[in-house]
Amino acid sequence: MCGILAVLGCSDDSQAKRVRVLELSRRLRHRGPDWSGIYQHGDNYLAHQRLAIIDPASGDQPLFNEDKTIVVTVNGEIYNHEELRKRLKNHKFHTGSDCDVIAHLYEEYGEGFVDMLDGIFSFVLLDTRDNSFMVARDAIGVTSLYIGWGLDGSLWISSEMKGLHEDCEHFEAFPPGHLYSSKTGEFKQWYNPPWFNESVPSKPYEPLAIRRAFEDAVVKRLMSDVPFGVLLSGGLDSSLVASITARHLAGTKAAKRWGPQLHSFCVGLEGSPDLKAGKEVAEYLGTVHHEFHFTVQDGIDAIEDVIYHVETYDVTTIRASTPMFLMSRKIKSLGVKMVLSGEGSDEIFGGYLYFHKAPNKKEFHQETCRKIKALHKYDCLRANKATSAFGLEARVPFLDKEFINTAMSLDPESKMIKPEEGRIEKWVLRRAFDDEERPYLPKHILYRQKEQFSDGVGYSWIDGLKAHAAENVNDRMMSNAAHIFPHNTPLTKEAYYYRMIFERFFPQNSARLTVPGGATVACSTAKAVEWDASWSNNMDPSGRAALGVHLSAYEGKSVALPSPPLKAIGDMPMMMGQGVVIQT
């Protein structure tokens, strides 16, 4: 991921202002340590910090059209850039960068070209012919982007909040799937797929259609001129990404340059579920596996850095970001600049354990829609910023536009969790890759119960965080929490601890408004909490809060005990944890 910063229409075009823009742009250099660039046209400044993945030699930014009247600063990857170049036969490109097509597409099609881009991106485009500009962000918000307004009438754009929060009177997250045009002064939604209105689809489930769509999504993301690997926790999602990558790597340009053997990476506390499962999958796939261990104290020591980089006080995001942050530093030290990751699957297929309690297919489908729309505030934010903190790029094939359209067009009845029929969470995805002739994964991995990343790295990680917070936040502080933090009042000592750190880095009201709030259990939306009355007394984003579902549900709460004997249905293991629920 690169870092972009733009100041547009400011009242100051002095050298001092240019120096200030450069100073703020340097705050984003962790995102793009390979090169820095700045362009000034009158009272407009476009700055860029580059992480070179495609065409490292000549793809420095900002980028231009032929006569340099159109200027672009971009953070992202355009996977269909070669196809788009063929449609721009009358244009001359200055670089081999995948993002070089943007200025030329604008020249050819105007602002309506954004939906032609297949990839992840945030960009600012300046048309110096009339001093107009446009800003756009990718469909789901995989790349991070903020917009702000200065008292002098200027408009600011930054990949991260830290690039603009001190200089703007108000700022907010730039909405995914939207563009902003200076010609209208308004946002316009360019991404509006059929599932967006949340009406219940009816397409029958076809396993091969899901398999083909996801394989395509992974293969297009193997585009790279630098060494890359996969994040491999041993769970279903990351294991499928790794399996498909291993199958298709040999035929790519990257394999010819860097070798055909895939590198995989896993992080966890000593003896954690993810380390064990990740190693097993790596051995099955034949990857060069790198296992990183951290201690609870290592994670606690990194919390301030994590909050500064990820720019949130959301509890579940910080819990999961910390191990990813630590792992990203290790990965980058090995010379790897890009990784594929498994974010998005749980939102699309209802993979979180609380989906077991979905009352009907309409509620199930609408919750998946809500979860996908909110990804830019949670898992996308984590995957983007925790890796970018060390100049590492994360690509997420589950959030491919075409794959989402395929998966979200399914009749949600096929996604419903029905243990009595052997259908556990994400059954439609598991079944799509259950190939007897050429297995993608071992059966017990293909049907492993969902573990949230913050749980899978080791259960004592979250328990350790709670204990540390309890040592630093006392009861008197909690009794005044609603007065100190009237917006998104922290309800636990852990949340209060994170909030104190966040407010120190980002004290503005606009900053605290960028972070989501509301009731949640096991990563649910507030609406889904209504599915089970008992959840209102057990508000925690950990998967272990899914009482009666998770094998290691919190002690002292409802615990699911399997009804013996635990049998398989056909060759498919019954959902672990199925059975009666008793109060302990």
Side-chain angles (χ1 to χ4, degrees):
M1 289 290 121
C2 302
I4 65 172
L5 176 70
V7 186
L8 303 153
C10 63
S11 57
D12 184 0
D13 61 357
S14 67
Q15 177 63 21
K17 187 67 173 183
R18 184 183 178 98
V19 169
R20 176 61 175 165
V21 173
L22 285 168
E23 176 191 347
L24 294 173
S25 180
R26 281 195 292 273
R27 295 184 184 179
L28 307 177
R29 185 166 292 172
H30 54 274
R31 298 181 63 89
D34 296 335
W35 194 251
S36 303
I38 188 170
Y39 174 86
Q40 180 182 357
H41 178 76
D43 56 3
N44 299 304
Y45 299 83
L46 273 64
H48 189 265
Q49 302 289 342
R50 188 186 185 205
L51 178 67
I53 303 290
I54 302 296
D55 187 23
S58 67
D60 294 338
Q61 296 194 34
L63 298 165
F64 303 89
N65 65 335
E66 291 90 340
D67 61 6
K68 297 194 173 184
T69 57
I70 298 169
V71 194
V72 187
T73 182
V74 194
N75 167 36
E77 302 288 341
I78 310 301
Y79 303 122
N80 63 336
H81 73 105
E82 291 182 350
E83 172 192 326
L84 292 172
R85 285 172 185 263
K86 293 174 183 176
R87 298 172 64 170
L88 297 164
K89 294 179 180 178
N90 297 325
H91 292 256
K92 181 180 179 182
F93 296 92
H94 296 297
T95 78
S97 168
D98 52 298
C99 295
D100 208 356
V101 297
I102 292 175
H104 302 276
L105 287 169
Y106 172 81
E107 207 172 15
E108 197 74 26
Y109 301 100
E111 293 178 350
F113 76 89
V114 181
D115 198 27
M116 298 167 65
L117 301 175
D118 182 5
I120 53 174
F121 53 82
S122 299
F123 68 80
V124 179
L125 182 150
L126 175 66
D127 188 340
T128 63
R129 297 171 299 187
D130 59 5
N131 222 34
S132 64
F133 62 86
M134 66 174 290
V135 187
R137 188 179 183 189
D138 65 70
I140 305 299
V142 176
T143 60
S144 57
L145 195 66
Y146 295 84
I147 182 171
W149 292 267
L151 284 174
D152 62 352
S154 58
L155 186 139
W156 293 63
I157 300 292
S158 178
S159 293
E160 296 184 3
M161 204 154 51
K162 59 184 66 66
L164 53 68
H165 72 109
E166 293 177 352
D167 291 65
C168 291
E169 185 68 14
H170 174 73
F171 55 89
E172 59 196 48
F174 193 98
H178 282 68
L179 65 84
Y180 179 91
S181 172
S182 66
K183 295 175 181 176
T184 62
E186 296 178 347
F187 290 100
K188 177 183 178 182
Q189 184 177 345
W190 65 263
Y191 179 63
N192 190 25
W195 62 268
F196 229 71
N197 63 15
E198 301 185 9
S199 59
V200 180
S202 58
K203 189 174 181 179
Y205 169 53
E206 296 179 19
L208 287 180
I210 293 291
R211 184 192 295 185
R212 282 193 295 266
F214 189 58
E215 292 219 25
D216 289 345
V218 173
V219 170
K220 73 174 68 169
R221 283 162 176 77
L222 304 185
M223 173 185 85
S224 176
D225 291 334
V226 298
F228 70 90
V230 294
L231 303 185
L232 180 57
S233 69
L236 173 68
D237 307 327
S238 65
S239 297
L240 282 178
V241 172
S243 178
I244 295 168
T245 303
R247 287 191 179 202
H248 293 275
L249 181 60
T252 65
K253 295 178 182 177
K256 294 173 184 174
R257 180 172 295 184
W258 307 109
Q261 196 167 16
L262 181 63
H263 287 252
S264 57
F265 308 95
C266 187
V267 66
L269 302 176
E270 193 76 47
S272 69
D274 280 2
L275 289 179
K276 180 181 177 182
K279 183 177 181 180
E280 183 179 0
V281 175
E283 289 176 352
Y284 181 82
L285 299 176
T287 68
V288 179
H289 193 56
H290 307 268
E291 198 174 89
F292 306 123
H293 298 186
F294 76 104
T295 66
V296 172
Q297 190 61 52
D298 290 334
I300 289 171
D301 291 343
I303 288 292
E304 294 209 8
D305 284 341
V306 169
I307 292 173
Y308 174 75
H309 279 284
V310 182
E311 302 179 326
T312 188
Y313 51 82
D314 176 67
V315 170
T316 188
T317 303
I318 294 168
R319 288 176 176 180
S321 293
T322 304
M324 197 172 200
F325 175 86
L326 295 171
M327 176 171 57
S328 296
R329 188 173 190 178
K330 291 280 193 179
I331 293 172
K332 188 61 185 293
S333 73
L334 297 175
V336 172
K337 297 176 74 172
M338 184 270 282
V339 290
L340 275 70
S341 190
E343 280 76 15
S345 172
D346 292 313
E347 287 74 15
I348 294 168
F349 293 105
Y352 292 108
L353 296 183
Y354 73 88
F355 275 94
H356 282 253
K357 299 294 184 76
N360 53 60
K361 70 178 187 180
K362 180 180 179 181
E363 289 273 359
F364 189 105
H365 179 71
Q366 290 180 342
E367 175 71 358
T368 61
C369 294
R370 290 190 292 265
K371 290 291 290 180
I372 297 171
K373 291 175 184 177
L375 264 170
H376 68 284
K377 303 175 185 177
Y378 297 101
D379 284 19
C380 287
L381 184 99
R382 166 179 57 79
N384 182 278
K385 292 182 181 177
T387 54
S388 293
F390 298 104
L392 182 69
E393 176 176 299
R395 296 182 181 175
V396 284
F398 279 109
L399 298 181
D400 180 81
K401 278 196 302 182
E402 287 306 311
F403 178 71
I404 293 176
N405 287 341
T406 299
M408 292 302 288
S409 67
L410 295 180
D411 185 336
E413 183 66 31
S414 62
K415 297 180 182 178
M416 291 283 285
I417 300 163
K418 298 184 177 182
E420 68 279 3
E421 298 177 19
R423 282 167 46 177
I424 64 174
E425 64 274 357
K426 294 187 285 194
W427 177 83
V428 293
L429 180 63
R430 300 175 197 270
R431 180 69 187 86
F433 287 92
D434 194 349
D435 189 324
E436 296 287 350
E437 295 182 6
R438 275 190 79 202
Y440 285 80
L441 295 168
K443 275 279 171 79
H444 64 283
I445 294 291
L446 195 60
Y447 291 98
R448 181 190 178 199
Q449 187 182 58
K450 163 69 184 171
E451 285 281 16
Q452 287 165 212
F453 185 48
S454 54
D455 285 331
V457 297
Y459 297 145
S460 58
W461 166 232
I462 291 176
D463 299 337
L465 284 174
K466 289 181 176 181
H468 178 72
E471 294 173 357
N472 288 273
V473 179
N474 60 40
D475 293 341
R476 183 178 297 175
M477 294 162 76
M478 289 302 298
S479 68
N480 292 327
H483 302 289
I484 303 297
F485 305 117
H487 175 75
N488 280 349
T489 302
L491 302 179
T492 67
K493 290 182 177 180
E494 184 185 5
Y496 194 107
Y497 179 66
Y498 299 154
R499 185 65 173 270
M500 288 192 299
I501 298 170
F502 177 88
E503 296 271 348
R504 182 153 36 89
F505 289 130
F506 307 105
Q508 299 86 353
N509 187 53
S510 291
R512 62 183 67 100
L513 293 176
T514 65
V515 181
T520 181
V521 62
C523 287
S524 73
T525 66
K527 177 68 176 173
V529 172
E530 300 170 7
W531 292 350
D532 191 315
S534 69
W535 286 347
S536 61
N537 298 317
N538 193 50
M539 293 298 175
D540 192 281
S542 167
R544 288 184 288 158
L547 305 179
V549 178
H550 196 286
L551 292 176
S552 301
Y554 287 133
E555 294 179 4
K557 306 292 183 180
S558 301
V559 179
L561 297 180
S563 304
L566 191 63
K567 296 180 179 179
I569 297 178
D571 59 357
M572 192 178 302
M574 184 80 84
M575 182 197 73
M576 300 271 201
Q578 179 200 352
V580 295
V581 178
I582 61 174
Q583 297 294 324
T584 60

